[in-house]
Amino acid sequence: MKQYIKHNPWKIIEEGLLPEYNKVSESIFSLGNGKIGQRGNFEEYYSGETLRGNYISGVYYPDKTRVGWWKNGYPEYFAKVLNAPDWTGIKISIDGEKLDLHTCKITDFKRVLNMKKGYFRKRYLAEFPDGKKIKIKSKRFLSIVNDELGVIKYSVEPVNFEGKIEVLSDINADIINQDSNYDEKFWVEIEKSTTVKPYVISETKKTFFRVCTAMDVIAEFDGKEIPLSNLKKVEKEKYVGIKFTLPIKKGKTTRLFKFASITSSMNYDINNLAKEAYDVLEYANDKGYEALLYEQEEAWKKKWEESDIVIKGDISAQQGIRFNIFQLNQTYTGQDERLNIGPKGFTGEKYGGSTYWDTEAYLLPFYLSTADEKVAKQLLKYRYNHLDKAIENGEKLGFNTGAALYPMVTMNGEECHNEWEITFEEIHRNGAIAFAIFDYVNYTGNKTYIAQYGLEVLIGISKFWAQRINFSEEKQKYVMLGVTGPNEYENNVNNNWYTNTIACKTMEYTAKSIEYVKQNHPKEFKKIIQKTKFNTDTELTNWKKIYNNMYFPYDEKRKVFLQQDGFLDKELKPVSTLSHLERPIHQHWSWDRILLSCYIKQADVLQGLYFFEDDYDIETIRRNFDFYEPLTVHESSLSSCVHSILAAKIGDKKRAYDFYLNAARLDLDDYNNDTEDGLHVTSMGGTWMTIVKGFGGMRIKNNKLSFAPFIPEQWQSYSFKIRFRGSLLNIEVSKKSIQIENESNKNVEIILFDKNQKIKGKEVFEMLF
């Protein structure tokens, strides 16, 4: 665990340049706007260890799968969101000496991510080998007002000399993904220009996405715009730059303003990319830097007004939750139904930037409660649009008649995960996609979605479950064999309790949805039945047989659900018996040793109890929590949030808080020594849930918001905002009271500690403890 980030309620601050942590910081100081993103790399030369990263959502490459033993149905490629052309370069030289932050003497270094206003800035004093010293300041942001625009303000001030500096401003499309399976570069050059506003048009191999990256540079000296002197054009393959000199003088500041535009064939005709990029640059020039920054700050102010969580009395916790919310808001905006959210967002290459089941299980609730309803709906429509591909995936594995197996990893609906135990066995992901439909309808009350989109998906998934399950003559029960549950430290197990449970819940919910659409949307019902070739008599009867007679492993002695058949054959040694030198175990143990052990990577049985808590009494949840949590190593970023929510549910306030803090500061403190690969963006939705669903006790009951809050003893108070069916509520919990302010004009009925309360528009309800 690293604790070099300074605690601050609105800012992420690093003081002193720490080369050994640079890649971690590059992840932490990442920026994004829903369409483009980048790691917190330096603009300058840096010869130290770094992972340069710029990303464009939806632009990917199908990197050929690298395996030693090919199996039928195996994905042909692993999709990767590509490291895109790097436009951030502002490289300084003085008398032929490069300003390299790794080789120059750097003091007074500070970098700051201002989460309130949406920008990244840094400052430092650099000393060259000949003794010359300069002060550098920079500020960078990716506009969330114009999501094809990036902006840098870069300032230079000499300390003990004056003269001229040489500047190289560039665009580098000759980049590589660190995770390339065959060390292949994925971009080819189509066109470039070194006019006054240089650009590079590059194209991805195989997928043929085209991207134009263009730039414009303006210089100021002592507050006045000046021309770029001794301008030289630099061209190489997939690279353009302009070199020029600028005056510097003691006591005076020389500034550069760099505007960059990124346009792609996802949104424009390939013949118009340069024109569209120039239009963005013209927009930036017309606005000017200060107006662009003001727009950015105002746009972020609006986002925070709808999604902020305020914690008083605990700066570490406050910084943690705001960092999580900031990353969620800059990763996904819901503007494009073709886009989704990768586990690393715009912060790194690991997991390929592709979509996992994390979106449905951990991210959807955040966007449901903090953004317009259409934002969450876009996430669901993403899966609806991929239904045909999910059916194709099922066919590849031998399933038929419309059985849909959604991919574990995808960019376009095709499965592209390259580990067999995940691709073929971790099929519980299908259940999370079905649960998301239930979650969305339950929260919004928009049942029309079922008839428009949801039912087709539910039928496809339920068809898959019905074919994947078989009847055991020995048990006289239905069983599911050869699966991997959420706990990926177990593979190829029989009757994973969570998978069996969510399969049955899906079929049951689908049956109810069929009846609803049949009764309320008969025209749509007829079309869906014809399209899916669904037999309402035989298939519904079969589903009912399955979910009424499914086998669920259970230990009568402990009265707990068993993670899978044979789990009790393991040596049940709690995690507390492990040496810290063995943690995390996936970095220190062989895979064989992990599979033989009882240790659990993340919530498995507990994931099911979290999803379906209304079906189990509090003592059942408590027994299972107390049995499984001591065996859980929490080596998935998705683990702590579920455990925090369940700990809150059973009244274990201390563990609920401890799990929250682990989730909230997972990346800021680099708990698992892997933040350098990128942030755990999808788990950040889970962090939000620990406060709202855990401490706040928020649920939907009888079509109303329900709350049962408590306050961690470390806090003086906390508050969070919730959007619900046209209303906006601010819930504040202190040691003495609960205040719920209805910030909308619409009257709203809520449930507080199981009692109905009505709050009129623009009024505040208070309950004293």
Side-chain angles (χ1 to χ4, degrees):
M1 187 169 72
K2 305 172 182 66
Q3 293 183 314
Y4 68 97
I5 298 297
K6 306 300 179 185
H7 289 184
N8 183 285
W10 277 110
K11 297 174 182 177
I12 307 300
I13 302 169
E14 176 187 2
E15 293 180 344
L17 180 58
L18 303 170
E20 66 273 26
Y21 294 159
N22 185 57
K23 291 199 329 188
V24 175
S25 293
E26 288 176 335
S27 296
I28 290 173
F29 290 90
S30 294
L31 295 173
N33 64 12
K35 184 177 287 185
I36 57 176
Q38 59 189 201
R39 288 170 60 81
N41 306 123
F42 297 127
E43 295 90 357
E44 302 88 343
Y45 294 107
Y46 187 73
S47 57
E49 193 171 359
T50 180
L51 173 59
R52 297 200 70 83
N54 290 264
Y55 310 99
I56 304 168
S57 191
V59 174
Y60 71 96
Y61 176 83
D63 202 8
K64 183 172 173 57
T65 301
R66 191 166 191 166
V67 293
W69 179 21
W70 197 271
K71 303 172 183 66
N72 288 335
Y74 212 88
E76 295 183 0
Y77 65 89
F78 187 79
K80 293 173 179 175
V81 170
L82 297 186
N83 194 354
D86 182 2
W87 58 269
T88 60
I90 298 176
K91 286 131 183 185
I92 306 296
S93 298
I94 300 176
D95 296 334
E97 289 283 347
K98 293 179 179 178
L99 172 54
D100 183 330
L101 273 74
H102 190 60
T103 57
C104 288
K105 182 180 178 181
I106 304 297
T107 55
D108 194 29
F109 179 89
K110 185 177 185 178
R111 52 181 155 187
V112 177
L113 182 66
N114 189 316
M115 300 180 290
K116 188 174 186 178
K117 298 182 177 180
Y119 62 74
F120 162 51
R121 65 177 172 86
K122 72 177 190 302
R123 72 166 195 220
Y124 58 89
L125 176 67
E127 182 176 348
F128 287 79
D130 62 2
K132 291 187 177 71
K133 296 181 181 180
I134 58 171
K135 292 180 181 178
I136 300 291
K137 292 182 181 180
S138 68
K139 184 179 289 186
R140 185 164 88 218
F141 62 90
L142 297 177
S143 173
I144 60 172
V145 178
N146 185 326
D147 58 13
E148 295 170 331
L149 176 66
V151 179
I152 301 174
K153 176 184 177 182
Y154 194 90
S155 303
V156 182
E157 181 184 337
V159 174
N160 59 357
F161 73 103
E162 51 189 55
K164 292 183 178 181
I165 58 171
E166 182 181 73
V167 181
L168 170 61
S169 177
D170 61 7
I171 298 170
N172 183 13
D174 189 26
I175 36 77
I176 189 169
N177 270 51
Q178 191 177 70
D179 65 352
S180 170
N181 283 343
Y182 297 91
D183 298 324
E184 181 181 8
K185 292 185 177 180
F186 301 136
W187 295 92
V188 296
E189 179 187 305
I190 299 298
E191 180 184 334
K192 64 175 176 276
S193 171
T194 49
T195 59
V196 178
K197 298 177 182 179
Y199 68 83
V200 177
I201 297 178
S202 46
E203 183 177 79
T204 61
K205 298 177 180 178
K206 295 185 181 180
T207 45
F208 307 110
F209 291 105
R210 282 196 187 181
V211 171
C212 179
T213 310
M215 68 176 176
D216 192 15
V217 178
I218 298 170
E220 282 184 359
F221 177 71
D222 197 21
K224 296 178 181 179
E225 186 172 337
I226 58 172
L228 308 180
S229 302
N230 302 316
L231 186 65
K232 296 178 182 177
K233 300 174 182 179
V234 182
E235 289 191 15
K236 295 183 287 186
E237 184 184 4
K238 295 182 280 187
Y239 177 97
V240 294
I242 51 173
K243 273 186 180 180
F244 50 91
T245 59
L246 293 174
I248 54 173
K249 188 174 182 180
K250 287 172 63 176
K252 303 290 183 182
T253 300
T254 300
R255 293 188 180 90
L256 287 173
F257 299 93
K258 183 172 184 177
F259 304 127
S261 57
I262 299 93
T263 56
S264 85
S265 58
M266 286 190 67
N267 303 301
Y268 302 108
D269 184 278
I270 60 172
N271 298 311
N272 294 330
L273 292 179
K275 175 189 176 300
E276 297 292 346
Y278 272 17
D279 286 348
V280 175
L281 293 179
E282 185 176 353
Y283 162 87
N285 275 297
D286 289 345
K287 287 278 186 179
Y289 172 80
E290 294 299 334
L292 292 170
L293 181 61
Y294 177 78
E295 282 184 346
Q296 178 82 346
E297 293 175 356
E298 287 298 300
W300 271 103
K301 180 181 178 182
K302 185 177 180 181
K303 281 188 177 291
W304 285 114
E305 285 172 352
E306 296 181 339
S307 60
D308 191 19
I309 291 179
V310 180
I311 298 171
K312 294 182 180 178
D314 190 337
I315 293 179
S316 175
Q318 176 69 88
Q319 183 185 47
I321 190 59
R322 281 197 174 128
F323 181 69
N324 283 253
I325 294 170
F326 177 76
Q327 294 296 338
L328 290 169
N329 277 328
Q330 70 172 2
T331 299
Y332 185 76
T333 61
Q335 299 298 313
D336 190 338
E337 66 184 38
R338 298 170 298 175
L339 304 180
N340 207 283
I341 306 162
K344 296 295 181 185
F346 295 119
T347 70
E349 299 172 9
K350 195 172 181 182
Y351 305 116
S354 302
T355 301
Y356 285 65
W357 68 288
D358 308 19
T359 295
E360 285 77 19
Y362 302 97
L363 293 172
L364 183 68
F366 171 80
Y367 296 105
L368 274 173
S369 296
T370 65
D372 189 275
E373 180 188 326
K374 67 180 182 182
V375 175
K377 187 176 180 180
Q378 295 283 60
L379 289 173
L380 268 64
K381 286 181 69 177
Y382 176 88
R383 296 296 192 178
Y384 173 79
N385 293 336
H386 288 174
L387 177 57
D388 288 344
K389 290 288 188 182
I391 292 172
E392 285 181 23
N393 291 336
E395 290 172 351
K396 289 177 182 177
L397 299 185
F399 298 93
N400 52 48
T401 62
L405 175 59
Y406 276 91
M408 186 68 180
V409 177
T410 194
M411 286 297 302
N412 64 356
E414 291 180 305
E415 177 63 76
C416 58
H417 199 286
N418 57 3
E419 295 174 7
W420 68 270
E421 67 274 15
I422 306 299
T423 303
F424 299 147
E425 296 192 344
E426 201 164 342
I427 53 178
H428 67 81
R429 75 246 192 183
N430 249 14
I433 291 163
F435 183 83
I437 295 172
F438 162 79
D439 204 15
Y440 170 82
V441 173
N442 189 46
Y443 192 91
T444 64
N446 179 14
K447 286 190 174 183
T448 303
Y449 181 84
I450 298 176
Q452 289 178 320
Y453 306 104
L455 185 55
E456 287 183 51
V457 174
L458 290 170
I459 288 175
I461 291 173
S462 293
K463 281 175 173 281
F464 170 81
W465 287 130
Q467 294 180 45
R468 185 61 171 79
I469 291 166
N470 65 277
F471 186 75
S472 166
E473 291 290 344
E474 180 179 345
K475 287 183 170 63
Q476 287 295 298
K477 293 278 188 180
Y478 287 93
V479 297
M480 194 165 357
L481 311 177
V483 303
T484 295
N487 172 25
E488 293 172 338
Y489 287 174
E490 299 273 8
N491 301 145
N492 199 33
V493 302
N494 294 336
N495 295 306
N496 172 258
W497 182 87
Y498 170 76
T499 306
N500 286 14
T501 297
I502 203 162
C504 289
K505 295 291 186 184
T506 299
M507 288 184 283
E508 191 172 359
Y509 180 61
T510 304
K512 291 177 181 177
S513 298
I514 287 171
E515 185 62 26
Y516 166 78
V517 176
K518 181 179 179 180
Q519 295 297 327
N520 295 277
H521 302 274
K523 289 183 180 179
E524 288 83 353
F525 177 75
K526 185 177 180 180
K527 291 178 183 177
I528 293 168
I529 295 304
Q530 290 175 344
K531 184 177 179 180
T532 59
K533 298 178 182 179
F534 184 74
N535 189 314
T536 54
D537 293 326
T538 60
E539 293 192 75
L540 279 175
T541 300
N542 186 44
W543 294 356
K544 189 173 182 180
K545 273 191 200 175
I546 293 171
Y547 62 70
N548 283 334
N549 196 31
M550 191 71 185
Y551 169 70
F552 299 100
Y554 186 75
D555 177 23
E556 290 288 351
K557 179 181 176 182
R558 297 175 176 84
K559 297 191 181 303
V560 296
F561 304 115
L562 293 180
Q563 184 174 274
Q564 73 263 347
D565 286 349
F567 185 78
L568 293 180
D569 292 333
K570 295 172 178 286
E571 185 180 8
L572 302 180
K573 295 173 60 178
V575 173
S576 59
T577 64
L578 295 176
S579 165
H580 72 278
L581 299 176
E582 297 179 273
R583 305 286 306 279
I585 61 174
H586 72 268
Q587 293 181 9
H588 295 89
W589 287 13
S590 70
W591 195 245
D592 183 68
R593 186 179 179 190
I594 290 174
L595 292 175
L596 291 173
S597 79
C598 66
Y599 298 124
I600 301 168
K601 182 181 179 184
Q602 66 190 77
D604 196 303
V605 169
L606 299 185
Q607 182 75 39
L609 294 177
Y610 160 66
F611 273 164
F612 306 111
E613 64 176 11
D614 289 342
D615 294 341
Y616 307 100
D617 62 50
I618 196 72
E619 289 307 315
T620 297
I621 296 173
R622 189 191 313 279
R623 283 195 305 272
N624 281 274
F625 187 90
D626 289 342
F627 177 69
Y628 283 108
E629 195 286 320
L631 305 177
T632 304
V633 289
H634 302 291
E635 288 175 8
S636 165
S637 64
L638 303 174
S639 188
S640 290
C641 59
V642 172
H643 284 83
S644 178
I645 294 167
L646 289 179
K649 173 82 175 177
I650 62 176
D652 191 336
K653 297 178 182 181
K654 181 183 183 305
R655 280 200 287 184
Y657 176 80
D658 289 345
F659 282 126
Y660 159 75
L661 204 59
N662 180 286
R665 300 196 63 86
L666 179 70
D667 290 309
L668 290 177
D669 294 337
D670 196 14
Y671 273 93
N672 291 335
N673 294 313
D674 59 359
T675 300
E676 66 178 37
D677 298 325
L679 304 178
H680 298 84
V681 171
T682 51
S683 75
M684 292 176 171
T687 305
W688 177 89
M689 290 192 298
T690 61
I691 291 181
V692 175
K693 292 190 173 187
F695 305 157
M698 190 190 85
R699 304 290 190 274
I700 306 301
K701 295 182 179 179
N702 301 321
N703 284 306
K704 299 173 186 176
L705 282 172
S706 174
F707 300 95
F710 73 89
I711 184 167
E713 65 179 24
Q714 294 87 345
W715 299 356
Q716 297 170 6
S717 68
Y718 68 98
S719 65
F720 56 90
K721 303 250 181 150
I722 294 296
R723 293 177 67 152
F724 181 73
R725 303 187 186 183
S727 62
L728 177 63
L729 303 181
N730 183 64
I731 295 89
E732 182 173 355
V733 184
S734 69
K735 304 284 189 184
K736 298 180 179 180
S737 68
I738 301 165
Q739 282 192 351
I740 301 178
E741 181 181 1
N742 185 354
E743 297 185 0
S744 60
N745 294 314
K746 180 181 178 181
N747 296 345
V748 63
E749 290 186 15
I750 67 161
I751 300 170
L752 185 60
F753 295 116
D754 296 324
K755 292 184 178 181
N756 290 315
Q757 305 289 348
K758 185 174 182 179
I759 309 174
K760 294 181 179 180
K762 301 298 183 181
E763 287 193 358
V764 178
F765 170 85
E766 183 175 27
M767 174 185 284
L768 300 177
F769 285 133

